[in-house]
Amino acid sequence: RGATTVSMSCSREASRTQRPRLRLVVRDDGQSSGAGRADFVCTGPGLARLEHLAAEAGARLAMGPGPVGWRVEVRLPLD
């Protein structure tokens, strides 16, 4: 929230041993709220809700500090 630069990427992942997934990654530049600092802890109902919705959809969700700023990644099953 409030980052000066936000980027998103989307890709399809498939392999012979796993079912296909859609991978979405959102990154920000870490220019707000302390995001990207090693001591930054992000909690709140918004992130808990994302985790709940991902679990309901059978998705994998990962979030936390990235190399620069904050990163949220979700992998959704396509079938």
Side-chain angles (χ1 to χ4, degrees), residues 22-63:
L22 178 67
R23 179 178 177 242
L24 301 169
V25 181
V26 179
R27 297 177 187 93
D28 74 20
D29 62 3
Q31 297 302 311
S32 70
S33 304
R37 290 189 346 226
D39 63 342
F40 180 72
V41 177
C42 188
T43 60
L47 296 178
R49 180 76 176 142
L50 279 177
E51 289 176 321
H52 175 77
L53 292 172
E56 280 187 346
R60 290 179 25 202
L61 178 70
M63 56 190 136

